[in-house]
Amino acid sequence: MAETSPSQHDTALSDPGFADVSESDWEAAAEGALRGEPLSSLHSTLLDGIETAPLYTAHRHGTEADPSGLPGSAPFTRGAAAASGALGWEVRQIHDVRLAGTPDAVAVDTTSGVDAVTVARGWDADGDAVALAAGIGDAAGAGVPIHLQSGASPVHAAALLDVFDRHGVELAGLRSWLGLDPIAAAASGWHWANPGDCATLDSSMCSAARGAAEIAQRSPGAVPLEADGSVFTDAGASDATELAAMLATGVAWLRALCDDADGPGLNADAAARLLGFTLSAGPDAFLVTAKCRALRMCWTQVLGTCGVDGASGEAPPMWLHAVTATAMLSAVDPWVNMLRATTATFGAANGGVDAITVRPFDAVSAGQASSSLGWRVAANTQLILRHESRIGSVIDPAGGSWYLEDLTRKLAHAAWDRFGEIEAAGGICAAMASGDLEASIAAERALRDEQIAAGQHVLVGVTDFVDSQAAQDSGASVSAGEPAGTPTVGLGVHRWAAPYETGTNDEAVTGDAGS
């Protein structure tokens, strides 16, 4: 779309086939329709204080001076590649190797369009990997990419590599994400990481960094390290705080890989190639797309500061995985979760992610694990968008949208400011250990709860358009009580709908898996 200069803005909304309507005309008509309410009442404010407007125009939000570059070039705002892939993104499904039906469920998934299997956390990695081999051995031997959920320990990674070795898989061609992320482990309260001990977290990061460098020598295609922001969103963090925590975790990895005296001593370029990022995808598709773009923009800035020059487009692109947020799921009328997952997947795909995981719509239903229908719908949500809607075939679909370009810039600035605060506090490990990060997330969570209670943030099927029969069938009822099953360790999972439910099963999603 051609840009319009500020002097032409009064005719910016005109079209040859219609009567000329200036921006001033639109504002006057809107004021009349609002019956005394100011035009500012159509503006809304996101949790991070970012204001969005009802109308975006060239003279106010034009992109002529936009530094976002082109797809496949720094700062990679518009995508890591200059051309779309044949299949778009990688479709992932999570499975729990502790369940008896896992091998059959994995076989169904991997013959029905799912590209990769992620092993859920929670299995006992005691070194022999017997349960792991029984659960995903056939898939590994068939060449299906196998990933570990973020927060995995070095013992888990070693167990997975052992399974590959047992099945004769050539490690040089391995494409697995090994999920080493002590920060995510601490944030979620998993047993091998202590969020209140900065020295232990630092030590865990350095140990994992050394292991990652060794893995890279054996398997250069693997992504051993991870920076998972979804654990912060599920705890109640805003989008900017989630991105800031991911950036701070990425910087902590760079320090452990490059600067630590006992570390592998890699350069920043080599170190960045060992790292994958996982962000949460919520029900606002536009916001999810902007998050993906803002994260790439900020990470390129981090790498530039570390001496990795992206001007030539040679900076390592960000390996980016999106997972639908547990926080947005409701036990009341869980069928609405299908719509939430669809918009989240749509936003992530348009944001140019490399892989997507969709949680089942019934992952938080009371008293049960996710059903086979839940897992099938989770996979098909992605497959329909990828193969029938061809979402992944479009390069930079957000490019040129004044709203999305403006939202991306504002979100990137908010995340960068928050990232600076975390670094000023001593880094992500120190912010976790001191409780500062937890306190700020708690404040953001409280603000979101206030917005929901005030009707500024609608939860369909929970706070509005409530189907009483669906609430009864789901084992939940509308209530003002406290969230049920709230974890007592780590930052926990705080679903938006939980204060309005009773009989819910928040603990059902801690393993994030089912068969």
Side-chain angles (χ1 to χ4, degrees):
M1 179 180 292
E3 295 288 353
T4 306
S5 67
S7 62
Q8 298 172 300
H9 76 273
D10 274 345
T11 58
L13 303 180
S14 64
D15 184 277
F18 299 90
D20 286 346
V21 178
S22 70
E23 188 172 335
S24 299
D25 293 334
W26 183 91
E27 291 176 350
E31 290 276 8
L34 291 173
R35 298 180 181 179
E37 291 292 328
L39 189 60
S40 60
S41 64
L42 295 180
H43 291 243
S44 60
T45 303
L46 303 180
L47 202 61
D48 293 300
I50 297 172
E51 188 175 89
T52 61
L55 178 68
Y56 286 76
T57 61
H59 88 277
R60 290 182 179 176
H61 309 95
T63 58
E64 284 183 328
D66 192 347
S68 297
L70 298 173
S73 62
F76 300 103
T77 307
R78 303 193 182 284
S84 61
L87 295 178
W89 64 93
E90 180 183 71
V91 175
R92 296 185 184 179
Q93 192 90 293
I94 302 178
H95 287 281
D96 190 338
V97 296
R98 298 170 297 180
L99 301 180
T102 293
D104 292 337
V106 169
V108 169
D109 273 344
T110 54
T111 55
S112 302
V114 172
D115 301 317
V117 172
T118 299
V119 178
R121 55 181 176 262
W123 53 284
D124 183 16
D126 57 5
D128 60 9
V130 173
L132 182 63
I136 51 88
D138 289 343
V144 175
I146 307 295
H147 308 298
L148 296 181
Q149 210 167 2
S150 66
S153 73
V155 177
H156 290 106
L160 179 60
L161 294 177
D162 182 48
V163 169
F164 283 124
D165 186 59
R166 292 186 187 187
H167 287 81
V169 176
E170 179 57 53
L171 295 184
L174 193 65
R175 296 187 290 123
S176 294
W177 288 43
L178 302 182
L180 299 180
D181 187 355
I183 300 300
S188 299
W190 302 329
H191 65 88
W192 75 280
N194 181 0
D197 188 341
C198 183
T200 300
L201 277 178
D202 282 331
S203 177
S204 297
M205 296 284 283
C206 292
S207 176
R210 291 192 294 271
E214 295 173 0
I215 291 171
Q217 293 180 349
R218 301 167 56 196
S219 180
V223 181
L225 305 177
E226 192 156 3
D228 184 0
S230 69
V231 295
F232 298 100
T233 290
D234 286 338
S238 68
D239 294 292
T241 295
E242 178 191 3
L243 296 183
M246 296 171 72
L247 293 170
T249 301
V251 168
W253 280 128
L254 294 180
R255 291 190 179 111
L257 290 163
C258 304
D259 299 336
D260 183 69
D262 297 323
L266 302 179
N267 61 45
D269 185 286
R273 297 179 188 276
L274 303 182
L275 176 60
F277 290 80
T278 292
L279 59 70
S280 66
D284 186 333
F286 296 118
L287 190 54
V288 174
T289 298
K291 279 173 61 175
C292 298
R293 303 169 92 240
L295 181 59
R296 284 196 296 266
M297 180 189 297
C298 291
W299 183 241
T300 301
Q301 180 68 29
V302 168
L303 293 181
T305 303
C306 295
V308 181
D309 182 14
S312 64
E314 294 300 320
M318 173 180 289
W319 305 113
L320 186 54
H321 163 235
V323 57
T324 56
T326 300
M328 72 176 178
L329 299 179
S330 64
V332 172
D333 201 356
W335 307 104
V336 182
N337 293 330
M338 294 184 187
L339 302 179
R340 297 182 179 113
T342 300
T343 55
T345 304
F346 178 81
N350 282 338
V353 300
D354 300 293
I356 300 176
T357 299
V358 173
R359 301 188 194 279
F361 73 89
D362 56 357
V364 297
S365 296
Q368 65 181 51
S370 298
S371 65
S372 58
L373 175 63
W375 289 105
R376 188 164 70 250
V377 169
N380 287 346
T381 298
Q382 296 198 59
L383 295 175
I384 290 172
L385 286 173
R386 189 175 76 170
H387 293 293
E388 296 188 21
S389 299
R390 305 290 294 177
I391 301 299
S393 300
V394 181
I395 304 172
D396 187 30
S401 164
W402 297 319
Y403 169 59
L404 278 166
E405 299 288 10
D406 184 68
L407 183 58
T408 297
R409 287 193 294 267
K410 289 179 177 177
L411 187 56
H413 284 298
W416 191 261
D417 290 343
R418 187 74 184 91
F419 165 59
E421 294 172 2
I422 294 174
E423 287 299 293
I428 187 70
C429 293
M432 290 276 294
S434 68
D436 290 345
L437 184 57
E438 182 176 4
S440 65
I441 290 175
E444 292 165 352
R445 183 170 65 245
L447 178 57
R448 180 185 283 108
D449 289 343
E450 291 175 6
Q451 292 177 346
I452 294 173
Q456 299 170 358
H457 185 164
V458 173
L459 303 180
V460 175
V462 179
T463 61
D464 282 303
F465 311 104
V466 179
D467 184 338
S468 58
Q469 183 60 49
Q472 181 179 350
D473 293 343
S474 69
S477 60
V478 176
S479 168
E482 293 298 318
T486 302
T488 58
V489 293
L491 300 180
V493 175
H494 300 269
R495 294 184 301 105
W496 308 337
Y500 301 88
E501 300 170 352
T502 60
T504 58
N505 188 28
D506 274 355
E507 294 179 350
V509 299
T510 56
D512 291 317
S515 296

